[in-house]
Every structure is written in C-alpha cells, then in structure tokens.
Amino acid sequence: MHRLSRRSVSAAIRAPATRYRVAAASPIASSTPIHVSAEANDNNTRWYSAIAGGKCNTARYSAQLNLKNDLFLGCRYQSTATASDSGNPPPPPAEKYEYQAEVSRLMDLIVNSLYSNKEVFLRELISNASDALDKLRYLSVTDSQLLKEAVDLDIRIQTDKDNGIITITDSGIGMTRQELVDCLGTIAQSGTAKFLKAVKESKDAGTDNNLIGQFGVGFYSAFLVSDKVVVSTKSPKSDKQYIWEGEANASSYTIREETNPENLIPRGTRLTLYLKRDDKGFAHPERIQKLVKNYSQFVSFPIYTWQEKGITKEVEVDDDPVEAKEANQDENTEKKKKTKKVVERYWDWELTNETQPIWLRNPKEVTTEEYNEFYKKTFNEYSDPLASSHFTTEGEVEFRSVLYVPAISPMGKDDITNPKTKNIRLYVKRVFISDDFDGELFPRYLSFVKGVVDSNDLPLNVSREILQESRIVRIMRKRLVRKTFDMILGISMSENKGDYETFWENFGKHLKLGCIEDRENHKRLAPLLRFFSSQSEDEMISLDEYVENMKPEQKDIYYIAADSVSSARNTPFLERLLEKDLEVLYLVDPIDEVAIQSLKSYKEKNFVDISKEDLDIGEKNEEKEKVTKEEFGKTCDWIKKRLGEKVANVNISNRLSSSPCVLVSGKFGWSANMERLMKAQTVGDTSTLEFMKGRRVFEINPEHPIIRELNAAFKSNPDDEDALRAIDLLYDAALVSSGYTPDNPAQLSGKIYEMMGMAISGKWSGFESQHSASQTLRTETLEAEVVEPVEAGGQK
C-alpha cells in the first residue's frame, strides 16, 4: 500500500482512515479503480488493477500491453478522509501525481545548470505573473465575462521574514485543475531524459529554441530557494479554486480544491514559497524591493510590495510633578501642554515599479531633460551624457533601444582591456535579463557606450542569462553599432567643438582600437579619428581636413610615429617634406601607428610612413640622380663595407636637406617607434623582436659637407683611420636621430668624447700657457730694473 508522506495535504494527514484509488491517467477502458484498505504495511507498496486482479507489477504489465511512458501523466492517488469528530463536512479529495521524470536529476539540472544566480527566481515568477495578466487582457477583448470580477490588474508580493515565506499574487487568468496538471507538470510530462536530450540537440545544432516555454522551467526556478511551493489559483472559467503543492526533492505533487473562505481569491494565482534555511534572507522586504527594481522595474503591470512605513505625530506628554508644582505656585503663568514627536509604524502596499520605460514612448514626445534624468538614474551617473539615441528597429528583428555616450571615462579601470562592462542592460518584454556581456551586443572598443535594449522575441537559452550566438543577435549587433556611429558622428558635427574634444580625450583610444579589431566598419571609424600634424601642432585635425589640404600633385597621406609632438617635429625625416610644404600627420599615441596601418588607406589615398625606405615625395630628376649616383656610388659601397651587417644597404637620400644622414627602416619591418614600443613590453618575445626588426637602410645626403669630405677621403685614402672612425660615429649619430636605441650606448659616448677631445684640444689650454709665459716674462723684467735708493745731495 502506498503511504502518504508528511508532506501530503493536511486533509489526508488529519484523516483517521484513508482509502486510495489507483487510476491510470491514460484512457484505458479495461482498467477500473480498486479500493483497498489503508491499514496495510506502509513499507510495501502494492498496486491493484482490474487487468490481472490482485497484486501486480506495473512495469511488467506495462511492457505486456506495450504501453509507452508518454501515455502516462503520472500515477494519480485520490484520498478521501472521513468526517472529523467535530461534525464538519469532510474536505475535498486531494489528487497526488507522481513525476515520471527522475526528480533528483531534474532538481540537479534546475539548481546547477539552468540558473547561475539564485535571485533570478523572483524575476521568473514575476514574468509568469505578467504573462498571466497579459493573457487575461488579451482574452477579455473577445470575452468580457473574464473581467466580471472588478479586480485591478496588478502583482503583489508579501513577505514574512520571521518564518521565511514569500507570497506572490497576481490577478491574471488563473488556472483550472486540468491546466494545473498541464502547465506545472510540463517537465514531468516531457521527462528529464527527453529534456536533457532536447537541450543537447539544441546546442549541437546551434538553433534558437526558447526552451523556457517548452518545459516550464521558469516556474520551477522557485525551487532554487524553496523547500515547498504552494500554488493557489482561481480561473474565471471555473467556479472552484485549486491548490497545487510540491516540495523540492520529492517524487510527487498534490492538487486539491480550496475550501477555506479566508484563502479564496476572486481571480488569479497566489504562489507561496517556503524558503530554505540558507535562503531565508530573500524574505526581507527591503531585499525583495531591491530585486523587483533591478529585474522587473519596467514590467507593464504595477508591482506592489508589502513594506513597513512610518508616520510622524506629535503626542502630549505628562507634566513632571516638580514642574507642575512650580507652575501652580504662579497662578499668572499660562500653562502650556508639552508634546513630543513619535513615529508610528505600520505596514502598507507600496508601488515598486513606478518608473515608466522611456524607450516605449515616442522619441518626439521625450525631452532632453527626461533622457538625461533616465540616464543618471539607470546608470548612477552624476553628469549629463554627451549624446543620446532613441530608436526602434523593425523587420527581421524588432527591438527598442536608448543609447548614451558618457561625458567622462570610467574611473579606476580601463574598459579597453575589460570587455565585460555592465553598460548595456538587456530586457525581454521589459523584464531585465542581464547586463553582463562579453561582446555579444557590442564590440569591445565600444564598451564605453551605455544604454538599454528591449526585445520581445529575442532568443535566449534556458537560463535567460547568456545570449546565443545566432543570426538574430548578429543582426542586432550590427544595428546597434551603426546607430552608435551615427550618434558619435553627430557629436563631431556639432557646432560646439568642445563636445567632440571632450569625447576624443576620453574615448579616442577606443576608436583607434576599433580600427584594429573591426575591419567591417573602417569607413565609419576613419572620419572620427583625430591627429596632430606638421601644420597643426596645437589642434587636432581629421583625415577629411588633411585630404582637403593636400597638394594637387600629392598622392599619399604622410605620417611619422614618435613619442611626442616635439620629437616628431625635430625628426630629420621631415626636412624635405617641410620644404615642399607637404603636411605630415604626427602619430604620438602608442596605438596610433597600428591603427593607421590597419586602415591602409582613406578616400583612395594610401598612408605612407616617411621613416620607411622608398619614399616618393613627388620629385624626380633622373639626370641629376644619375650624376649623383656616379659620383657617390662607390662611396656608398665603401660606407656599406665599413658598417657591414649593421645596415642592409647604403643609398642616396631624397628626404634630407640639412642632416648628413638618416637611418630608415625596411618597407615591411617595424619602424623605430614600433621597435621601441615592442622592447618596452613586459612579456615581449625577444625572438619575435629580432625577426621583426627588419632591414635598416643608411641614407646619406650628398649635399652635406661631411658627406663631401668622406667622399674626398674615399678617393684619396679609403683606409684612413680617421675617415673610418667618422663613418662609425656618423652611423651612431643617425641611429639616435632616427629614433633607434644604440646597442652599446657607452661605446657611443666614448666616440663622442674622443671627437670632442680632438675638436677642443689646445683651444683653451694653449691660450692659458701663453698667458702664463707673458706673466713670467714681465716679472723677470721688473726685477732687473730695481735700483738702490740714493739720499739727497748724493748721500745715502
């Protein structure tokens, strides 16, 4: 005989004698209920069926009849109790259903796999209540009788923190007895194995199945925090109210009719959660209110929470006997009543989601002040945003969004290296889902953008927490990124130039990172970039402004990478270009050079690094080049022989005017600036560094006096030690002036000291020795002219 556990309904527990009727849920005509006594041994469960008569094994007979498990919703037990001694009528029978699924696996799946955060249980239950209200409102359009009970459409949450109980009541459509079985028994009906199989197939196929609606796990999230859940529901289609009761880790649930007049509700559903010992903290009113504001702030129906409030009153205070005696002695003194302020505590319903979703309104009806206020309140900001964008997309994907560009960058962290920001809040049907993304909705370089995204049909996985990489999500991402670029472009075209200067100072590096990571949006990113240049060292210019200032014969956009504007200004690579009045961009930010190399071109103009070999600045005199090459060609070979493997080649330069030489990098290798940055990396790979150094080309200026002297030295005495040492020193000087780091700084210093010694030798010391010699000569002459004193009159 099957024994009712202590977790069964109270009527069955209180009954002195109980009769059980086993009934199969499937429509088998030959099966009839068999009544047995409840006084049998509780430890041995016996099943009776009209098919075999007497004791039988259900598994064996199910196999003989070839019955599939899907035909059974469960084994239903009906319990009938006798009248109590007080003479009250017997309570209605309670039906007990046994899960087909393995409950241990089912609960393990819910607690450990479906949800990573326990607090989402409230979000799921409020979402279910909102769906019930939506369904009632929809059905009432064609059937007005559903709203015959004049009850407001709302959701109310009450807590009992002392006993750890949460009650969630909605005035929605409610459920009948059969709907309770169908809706809350969905997992049991489908089976855990089938559920797990569907989840696995969905992940393997990469489909966008919304498993919540198929398996009803939204309701079962209540067992994340509850030991027992009681659902009391009343449908306007039925005259009776029913109670569904289930426990965590139990193999069955019960359904019975509600007969207590105090517990009757006019319409809707009341969920009562009996929290686990470790989760009773959820029953505090303040925590419930906080969770509602975080997850369900914008649900379209009002949500009330039961909160403790206080009202301040003034009450009279009894006079002190001593003071009263003194007051009676002076009859002329006017007697005043003493009062004090006290706070009276009481409990009442408080509207928790009073903030209306601004994205559902017409953008033409929303003022700038309202957008700014929503931004400050939602993201806890104290300053107004630089710009906002409110839009609705339709077509394959429909969603509403409000995006903002902050006025200041976040403090204490760099969002470029931290893609998991909480700047985008995702809502589905105005229910908050998550703000923890890793590049699904926005790329990393746009992580500074803040806003809300609300979709009614966004596909989610079973936990409603992690977005699936699907086609719809990719379409959403493209549209969000496009709207963001339009918003930033609007800032750049604003009459107030200070706004974009502020934006660039805070988020310019983000856009440069976008040039590296997002090739698809290069055309949108490039017009937003800003750089200093040789003709604008105090104010940054855009690439459009550079192109407008280009010379008619100029084919390329020239740039030089350095660590500062001052270094870029004084580099020898600029000499000939400045003479020809060609503008050069100064890339002074470490990320600039990589960003520009990723763009490659802008408006069909290629970016050219003036520190690389084969620079073409538009002037070529073949006859002059031929004469110069004949005169200095062998000198170049002589210099290359002296420098050896330090350089790949020695060429005649067309970019120098005042400097004797320069060291340029290979066309496909790192520039001097990039080599410096790579050496500064903490975890840099030295092998990669040596490989990417590339070739270095030593270029000489044939018009400079030093180069002419070396040319003469080569022709007269190519083995002269002073000439060879001059070549070494010339290379080291070019190494420093071109931005490279000498391999042996001490050796370079020694050469400079030697040359200084040769240059100033005897310049001051010779003058000092000559001056000392003249002083000595003067002293000796004076001593030779000394005469003895003679007295007047010829006497001493």
Side-chain angles (χ1 to χ4, degrees):
M1 201 46 224
H2 189 84
R3 177 175 58 88
L4 277 178
S5 66
R6 286 179 291 180
R7 293 191 291 262
S8 302
V9 294
S10 58
I13 296 176
R14 293 192 303 264
T18 309
R19 291 178 297 130
Y20 295 96
R21 185 180 64 196
V22 181
S26 57
I28 301 176
S30 60
S31 178
T32 57
I34 303 296
H35 299 280
V36 298
S37 173
E39 298 175 357
N41 185 5
D42 289 340
N43 295 325
N44 298 322
T45 303
R46 292 181 296 163
W47 292 47
Y48 287 84
S49 172
I51 297 176
K55 184 176 180 179
C56 69
N57 186 300
T58 55
R60 179 167 59 88
Y61 281 97
S62 296
Q64 291 175 359
L65 293 174
N66 194 22
L67 298 177
K68 296 183 178 180
N69 290 337
D70 290 343
L71 293 176
F72 290 93
L73 292 179
C75 298
R76 185 178 65 186
Y77 298 85
Q78 290 189 347
S79 171
T80 305
T82 59
S84 62
D85 295 338
S86 58
N88 294 328
E95 295 184 353
K96 185 174 182 180
Y97 294 84
E98 196 162 307
Y99 292 113
Q100 289 291 324
E102 300 174 35
V103 179
S104 59
R105 294 183 62 195
L106 174 66
M107 293 305 172
D108 180 70
L109 180 67
I110 292 175
V111 174
N112 299 320
S113 300
L114 298 183
Y115 300 96
S116 59
N117 188 3
K118 283 187 175 183
E119 65 184 23
V120 299
F121 83 93
L122 188 63
R123 179 194 73 187
E124 297 294 336
L125 298 181
I126 291 178
S127 299
N128 289 346
S130 177
D131 291 342
L133 292 166
D134 268 328
K135 186 175 181 181
L136 175 64
R137 186 166 55 182
Y138 174 78
L139 295 176
S140 64
V141 175
T142 56
D143 187 0
S144 59
Q145 291 297 319
L146 296 177
L147 295 176
K148 60 183 179 180
E149 299 290 345
V151 181
D152 295 334
L153 300 179
D154 58 20
I155 302 170
R156 297 178 181 268
I157 306 175
Q158 191 171 9
T159 60
D160 181 357
K161 63 181 180 180
D162 296 331
N163 297 314
I165 300 174
I166 299 176
T167 304
I168 305 173
T169 306
D170 69 77
S171 55
I173 190 64
M175 290 175 280
T176 62
R177 177 191 285 265
Q178 187 59 41
E179 288 172 343
L180 274 176
V181 176
D182 295 338
C183 295
L184 303 189
T186 309
I187 296 183
Q189 181 180 358
S190 62
T192 304
K194 185 178 179 181
F195 175 69
L196 292 171
K197 182 180 178 181
V199 174
K200 184 178 185 302
E201 290 177 354
S202 176
K203 289 182 179 179
D204 293 342
T207 56
D208 298 327
N209 294 331
N210 189 347
L211 300 179
I212 291 178
Q214 299 178 27
F215 295 95
V217 295
F219 164 76
Y220 280 88
S221 65
F223 288 103
L224 285 170
V225 296
S226 306
D227 282 325
K228 182 174 70 172
V229 177
V230 177
V231 181
S232 182
T233 181
K234 168 69 168 60
S235 172
K237 301 177 184 179
S238 174
D239 296 332
K240 297 181 180 180
Q241 179 173 329
Y242 295 97
I243 296 177
W244 182 100
E245 183 175 335
E247 296 186 9
N249 302 321
S251 60
S252 61
Y253 61 91
T254 62
I255 298 178
R256 59 184 171 88
E257 181 183 342
E258 178 63 81
T259 57
N260 188 348
E262 296 180 357
N263 297 330
L264 295 179
I265 55 178
R267 182 191 67 234
T269 303
R270 179 192 296 127
L271 273 71
T272 305
L273 311 182
Y274 296 87
L275 302 180
K276 301 175 182 177
R277 177 184 302 177
D278 295 338
D279 297 315
K280 288 188 177 181
F282 285 107
H284 285 266
E286 297 82 4
R287 187 168 186 184
I288 288 294
Q289 189 178 52
K290 181 180 179 181
L291 292 178
V292 171
K293 288 184 176 181
N294 186 37
Y295 289 101
S296 307
Q297 177 80 353
F298 303 107
V299 171
S300 55
F301 297 97
I303 302 175
Y304 296 92
T305 56
W306 190 247
Q307 299 292 331
E308 185 180 16
K309 300 182 178 182
I311 184 173
T312 304
K313 290 184 177 181
E314 288 191 359
V315 297
E316 294 183 3
V317 182
D318 295 336
D319 293 336
D320 186 48
V322 178
E323 294 180 357
K325 184 176 180 180
E326 294 177 354
N328 292 332
Q329 292 176 356
D330 190 359
E331 298 178 356
N332 298 327
T333 303
E334 183 179 356
K335 187 176 181 181
K336 295 182 179 180
K337 295 182 179 180
K338 291 187 176 182
T339 61
K340 70 175 182 179
K341 293 182 179 180
V342 295
V343 178
E344 290 186 0
R345 296 289 179 180
Y346 67 98
W347 290 81
D348 197 5
W349 293 108
E350 180 177 319
L351 182 62
T352 305
N353 62 333
E354 53 190 355
T355 303
Q356 295 298 322
I358 197 173
W359 60 83
L360 296 181
R361 298 167 57 184
N362 188 339
K364 297 180 180 179
E365 300 175 355
V366 185
T367 64
T368 303
E369 289 74 17
E370 289 177 312
Y371 282 125
N372 294 346
E373 185 64 26
F374 175 79
Y375 168 77
K376 293 178 183 178
K377 188 172 184 179
T378 304
F379 299 102
N380 297 321
E381 293 285 348
Y382 61 88
S383 59
D384 293 336
L386 285 177
S388 62
S389 177
H390 182 185
F391 59 93
T392 302
T393 61
E394 298 178 351
E396 292 182 89
V397 180
E398 296 183 3
F399 65 91
R400 298 172 182 266
S401 180
V402 179
L403 301 178
Y404 295 94
V405 174
I408 58 175
S409 57
M411 302 294 291
K413 65 177 182 178
D414 191 354
D415 282 347
I416 294 182
T417 59
N418 181 24
K420 290 188 176 182
T421 60
K422 295 184 179 296
N423 293 339
I424 299 298
R425 297 175 61 87
L426 176 65
Y427 292 82
V428 173
K429 295 182 180 179
R430 297 166 302 281
V431 176
F432 174 67
I433 300 301
S434 178
D435 58 2
D436 186 12
F437 300 111
D438 190 9
E440 288 88 356
L441 290 178
F442 271 90
R444 180 172 66 151
Y445 67 92
L446 291 179
S447 59
F448 62 89
V449 178
K450 298 185 178 183
V452 296
V453 180
D454 185 12
S455 174
N456 289 339
D457 55 355
L458 184 67
L460 302 168
N461 73 348
V462 290
S463 67
R464 288 188 177 179
E465 291 180 271
I466 304 173
L467 285 176
Q468 293 177 340
E469 279 294 340
S470 64
R471 180 180 59 86
I472 295 179
V473 174
R474 288 194 292 270
I475 294 174
M476 286 184 63
R477 172 174 168 149
K478 286 183 178 180
R479 295 183 180 178
L480 290 171
V481 171
R482 190 180 308 160
K483 289 293 183 179
T484 301
F485 280 125
D486 293 342
M487 183 168 47
I488 298 175
L489 185 62
I491 301 175
S492 67
M493 300 175 64
S494 173
E495 297 179 357
N496 186 3
K497 293 185 177 181
D499 288 347
Y500 197 75
E501 291 176 0
T502 301
F503 167 81
W504 185 256
E505 182 181 355
N506 291 321
F507 307 111
K509 291 183 180 180
H510 291 72
L511 299 188
K512 295 172 186 176
L513 179 65
C515 296
I516 303 171
E517 295 186 343
D518 192 355
R519 297 183 179 274
E520 295 181 0
N521 288 303
H522 276 177
K523 292 184 178 180
R524 294 187 176 93
L525 282 163
L528 302 174
L529 301 178
R530 297 293 184 269
F531 303 99
F532 292 108
S533 75
S534 58
Q535 298 180 7
S536 180
E537 296 182 358
D538 299 325
E539 184 178 352
M540 288 186 167
I541 63 170
S542 64
L543 295 179
D544 288 325
E545 292 174 316
Y546 181 95
V547 173
E548 291 176 3
N549 297 332
M550 288 176 64
K551 301 295 180 182
E553 69 277 5
Q554 185 177 347
K555 300 179 181 179
D556 302 315
I557 300 176
Y558 301 115
Y559 72 88
I560 180 68
D563 58 352
S564 66
V565 174
S566 177
S567 298
R569 183 198 307 124
N570 297 313
T571 182
F573 300 105
L574 281 173
E575 294 175 357
R576 187 58 61 86
L577 284 90
L578 294 181
E579 286 184 358
K580 299 189 64 176
D581 197 26
L582 295 176
E583 190 172 13
V584 180
L585 296 176
Y586 293 164
L587 309 185
V588 296
D589 203 23
I591 198 176
D592 285 351
E593 187 174 0
V594 183
I596 287 295
Q597 290 175 354
S598 299
L599 287 179
K600 295 183 179 180
S601 64
Y602 181 70
K603 290 187 176 180
E604 300 181 354
K605 306 288 184 180
N606 294 326
F607 290 101
V608 174
D609 186 352
I610 64 173
S611 68
K612 297 288 184 73
E613 63 177 335
D614 297 333
L615 176 66
D616 182 12
I617 57 177
E619 63 170 15
K620 279 191 177 182
N621 190 333
E622 295 182 359
E623 186 175 346
K624 182 180 179 181
E625 289 180 359
K626 184 178 180 181
V627 173
T628 305
K629 189 172 183 180
E630 289 179 356
E631 182 179 357
F632 290 90
K634 294 184 178 180
T635 303
C636 291
D637 296 337
W638 175 57
I639 295 174
K640 171 66 174 69
K641 183 179 179 181
R642 174 62 180 178
L643 296 179
E645 297 299 327
K646 294 180 181 179
V647 296
N649 203 358
V650 178
N651 296 330
I652 298 173
S653 178
N654 65 341
R655 73 187 88 202
L656 298 176
S657 61
S658 59
S659 299
C661 59
V662 72
L663 197 63
V664 301
S665 57
K667 194 172 183 179
F668 302 103
W670 280 340
S671 65
N673 181 69
M674 184 59 64
E675 187 175 319
R676 175 179 58 84
L677 294 175
M678 290 295 102
K679 283 183 177 180
Q681 299 299 313
T682 306
V683 291
D685 187 356
T686 56
S687 60
T688 305
L689 179 64
E690 292 298 325
F691 175 76
M692 289 302 296
K693 271 185 177 180
R695 45 182 281 167
R696 296 174 181 175
V697 179
F698 190 66
E699 292 189 358
I700 61 174
N701 180 9
E703 299 178 359
H704 197 275
I706 295 178
I707 302 300
R708 290 187 176 276
E709 287 295 326
L710 285 177
N711 187 40
F714 165 72
K715 292 179 179 180
S716 61
N717 186 9
D719 297 328
D720 185 84
E721 288 296 328
D722 291 338
L724 296 177
R725 286 202 313 238
I727 293 175
D728 294 339
L729 186 60
L730 204 62
Y731 169 80
D732 290 335
L735 197 70
V736 175
S737 64
S738 302
Y740 293 98
T741 303
D743 296 332
N744 193 342
Q747 186 179 5
L748 173 60
S749 301
K751 293 178 181 178
I752 295 175
Y753 299 151
E754 182 183 356
M755 296 296 291
M756 288 179 63
M758 295 171 59
I760 66 175
S761 177
K763 185 173 183 180
W764 295 284
S765 60
F767 172 77
E768 184 177 346
S769 61
Q770 183 179 2
H771 179 70
S772 301
S774 62
Q775 290 289 342
T776 304
L777 181 60
R778 183 180 303 174
T779 305
E780 292 175 354
T781 304
L782 289 175
E783 291 177 353
E785 294 179 349
V786 172
V787 295
E788 293 292 334
V790 179
E791 294 183 357
Q795 298 179 357
K796 291 184 180 178

